[in-house]
Amino acid sequence: MKIISDLAASVAHEVRNPLQVTRGFLQLLAGRAEEKNKPYFDLASNELDRASDIITDFLTFAKPEIDTIRLLNISEELKKIEAMMMPMVAMHGGILHFSSQDNLYFYGNSSKLKQALINIIKNSIEAIEPDGRIEVKAQSEHDQVVVQITDNGVGMDEEEVSKLGVPFFSTKSKGTGLGLMVTFRIIEVMNGTIKIRSAKGKGTEFTIRFPQVYQDEILPDGISL
Ligand code: ADP
Ligand code: MG
């Protein structure tokens, strides 16, 4: 397993670099291209981004280990995620609403948490109608930091829910079926749990729980007792 995952990670790295260089040159050329040819450059860049996203997911799956674990404040993390998701909601339509209790701490890695939650929120955006609604809420419950993501989108039946996280399970024509697999891995590595409830035609609710760290347990240098 170790050899396979090292190999997968190095191949993914090696493929991602030339993709990024190619994208850079495409952008350069797009700036000098005739107006009628610009859409082709956009298409090419978008496809490169898609390839790069798939490789990022694959890389996380092959090597989910987290290098830096820090004390995270969920309301601050959600603020960053909100800023990143707003353009996508604006394009798709719908309401994305965030709310969070203050000073809720837990241990994790900020960029991995972002990746995990963004995969869930993206699915919600893709599941709702342009007048739909997504709620992202964080609160404390039984010594746990609980993050809930609820949408009133297409929903899933029991069989679909049971397939979530299985590599390549996707009902979308352009889906990769890697998003939730990565999310599940990340949450597991961060000692969290995830539960899903869904009803076809009604909507979906993801509930994620992390062990809460209380302020009186935090030493000045950020290490807990
Ligand atoms: P992808 O988004 O590439 O299809 P994911 O792993 O992110 O892959 O999701 C797998 C499948 O789970 C989706 O294709 C969709 O059918 C279903 N799904 C995930 N989240 C939701 C949701 N919020 N509402 C309805 N279906 C969902
Ligand atoms: Mg997805």
Side-chain angles (χ1 to χ4, degrees):
M1 266 317 279
K2 169 92 174 78
I3 292 170
I4 293 173
S5 94
D6 283 352
L7 193 66
S10 74
V11 170
H13 265 303
E14 292 306 323
V15 175
R16 198 159 51 168
N17 291 340
L19 282 181
Q20 265 151 12
V21 174
T22 309
R23 195 186 191 289
F25 282 120
L26 265 181
Q27 249 169 350
L28 199 76
L29 287 173
R32 305 175 188 169
E34 285 174 50
E35 204 53 44
K36 69 171 173 23
N37 288 330
K38 292 231 162 112
Y40 300 119
F41 283 99
D42 286 344
L43 261 174
S45 299
N46 286 343
E47 290 301 303
L48 282 179
D49 286 346
R50 209 170 104 74
S52 191
D53 284 348
I54 293 171
I55 289 170
T56 302
D57 281 347
F58 183 63
L59 199 57
T60 312
F61 184 66
K63 273 190 135 18
E65 303 93 15
I66 287 173
D67 24 60
T68 40
I69 295 274
R70 283 184 204 291
L71 201 60
L72 303 179
N73 179 341
I74 191 66
S75 68
E76 278 169 23
E77 298 303 318
L78 288 183
K79 261 182 221 141
K80 290 185 234 166
I81 294 171
E82 181 175 11
M84 290 172 75
M85 295 316 292
M86 279 311 170
M88 188 176 172
V89 191
M91 265 190 10
H92 180 278
I95 291 167
L96 175 58
H97 181 258
F98 281 75
S99 60
S100 174
Q101 243 174 282
D102 278 334
N103 302 322
L104 296 186
Y105 296 97
F106 63 102
Y107 280 105
N109 176 284
S110 173
S111 79
K112 297 275 181 191
L113 178 78
K114 239 182 258 158
Q115 199 184 349
L117 294 184
I118 282 176
N119 284 345
I120 297 175
I121 298 170
K122 261 192 197 165
N123 284 339
S124 286
I125 296 174
E126 286 159 357
I128 59 169
E129 297 286 325
D131 61 352
R133 187 178 172 88
I134 303 161
E135 198 76 49
V136 181
K137 199 167 82 180
Q139 64 196 31
S140 165
E141 225 177 77
H142 308 301
D143 295 328
Q144 288 171 323
V145 176
V146 184
V147 183
Q148 235 165 5
I149 298 148
T150 317
D151 68 63
N152 61 356
V154 290
M156 292 169 277
D157 58 29
E158 254 174 60
E159 202 199 327
E160 286 171 318
V161 172
S162 74
K163 286 189 188 149
L164 293 180
V166 173
F168 309 116
F169 167 65
S170 176
T171 57
K172 300 167 193 168
S173 58
K174 279 204 158 192
T176 62
L178 293 175
L180 288 182
M181 171 190 84
V182 164
T183 295
F184 288 7
R185 283 278 277 211
I186 291 174
I187 290 171
E188 188 189 319
V189 177
M190 288 178 30
N191 294 322
T193 62
I194 184 162
K195 280 222 169 66
I196 301 144
R197 292 198 318 148
S198 191
K200 199 91 186 160
K202 294 231 168 90
T204 305
E205 179 185 87
F206 280 77
T207 308
I208 300 153
R209 295 186 167 85
F210 296 109
Q212 185 171 353
V213 177
Y214 290 96
Q215 256 159 334
D216 57 359
E217 297 170 336
I218 303 166
L219 295 173
D221 55 2
I223 297 165
S224 93
L225 292 172

